[in-house]
Amino acid sequence: MSLRAVFFDLDGTLLDTAPDLANALNRLLISESQAPLTEQQVREVVSAGAYAMLKLAFNVERDDPQTASLRQRLLDFYLQDLSTHTRAFDGIETLIENLHQADIDWGIVTNKPEAYATPLMERFTFARRPLCVLCPEHVTHPKPHGEPLELACQHAKCAVNEAIYIGDHQRDIQSGINAGMKTIAVNYGYIPNGETAHQWQADYVAETGHDIWPIIETFITR
């Protein structure tokens, strides 16, 4: 394998966005005269998206009459304050620096809508800008389909077997498998209760952000 690109999931893999998502949900709860939740409570469901957060906070289902309005208000609160507490996970900034020094492209493939992913990434400075930030709006079939990663490789002008995808959810790893790409599952992200990244049949598992570069380096030195 000649490694030419590394692609990341966004929430829970590259950036720890849970604190600002929890803040948005708590602003919504307070506006409805309800008690806020702890960040840990929100962190346990955040990978499942806005509907799961609303289910936790208000015990509403996706098709309940008030859910659409609550969801829009939640997203509005989030857009107002995307990055106050969001940070790159430990080891990620050094990892991007190492990719830059090795002249390996990197990008983001996420199921986060473009309206939030693009402005969020504009607020972070890494050693090299991402080659692409691909969101559900850019494809016909989002993750776990392989299409988003195939499109990412088109941006990088590389074959799928010349890239690695890194994610913190089973759908990320399944997307990589469906695309025919090597995968690294990270065990530090927003892992659903009762799961571990070791269950997802990834090619490699990284317990921390610092563990990712040694895996990638093995492909550079081959």
Side-chain angles (χ1 to χ4, degrees):
M1 173 183 180
S2 175
L3 183 63
R4 296 181 56 191
V6 175
F7 301 110
F8 296 83
D9 173 54
L10 181 52
D11 301 76
T13 302
L14 190 81
L15 299 180
D16 186 5
T17 55
D20 286 311
L21 287 162
N23 180 62
L25 184 62
N26 282 333
R27 289 178 66 188
L28 179 60
L29 279 163
I30 292 168
S31 74
E32 293 290 317
S33 301
Q34 296 198 36
L37 298 169
T38 67
E39 182 184 313
Q40 184 57 40
Q41 287 175 294
V42 179
R43 189 176 288 271
E44 290 173 0
V45 303
V46 73
S47 66
Y51 289 112
M53 293 169 64
L54 293 173
K55 171 69 173 176
L56 171 69
F58 298 98
N59 195 30
V60 293
E61 303 295 340
R62 183 185 290 247
D63 57 355
D64 286 351
Q66 69 269 42
T67 300
S69 174
L70 287 171
R71 179 178 181 273
Q72 188 56 57
R73 290 168 60 201
L74 170 64
L75 295 177
D76 288 344
F77 278 134
Y78 182 51
L79 190 58
Q80 291 168 15
D81 197 2
L82 282 166
S83 60
T84 297
H85 303 291
T86 292
R87 299 289 183 270
F89 282 101
D90 286 348
I92 292 298
E93 292 189 30
T94 300
L95 171 59
I96 301 301
E97 172 67 30
N98 289 340
L99 291 174
H100 175 57
Q101 293 297 325
D103 198 27
I104 295 172
D105 285 324
W106 73 281
I108 294 166
V109 178
T110 177
N111 276 0
K112 195 183 194 81
E114 184 179 14
Y116 311 97
T118 298
L120 178 60
M121 285 307 303
E122 288 174 351
R123 301 179 190 192
F124 285 86
T125 301
F126 294 100
R128 175 184 286 183
R129 295 292 300 167
L131 179 72
C132 59
V133 180
L134 298 181
C135 305
E137 295 90 338
H138 301 130
V139 294
T140 303
H141 306 289
K143 298 181 297 183
H145 199 280
E147 181 187 350
L149 291 174
E150 293 165 2
L151 179 59
C153 287
Q154 292 178 29
H155 280 268
K157 296 181 173 59
C158 71
V160 291
N161 63 359
E162 296 175 314
I164 293 173
Y165 188 49
I166 305 169
D168 73 311
H169 196 279
Q170 186 171 13
R171 66 174 164 264
D172 300 323
I173 304 309
Q174 191 60 53
S175 182
I177 292 170
N178 289 338
M181 187 177 292
K182 292 289 186 182
T183 58
I184 301 173
V186 298
N187 212 26
Y188 59 76
Y190 307 145
I191 313 296
N193 283 333
E195 287 190 30
T196 169
H198 294 271
Q199 298 172 321
W200 304 335
Q201 299 183 316
D203 294 293
Y204 304 90
V205 176
E207 298 296 331
T208 73
H210 296 284
D211 299 328
I212 299 173
W213 175 248
I215 297 170
I216 291 174
E217 197 172 23
T218 64
F219 291 96
I220 298 173
T221 56
R222 285 180 184 177

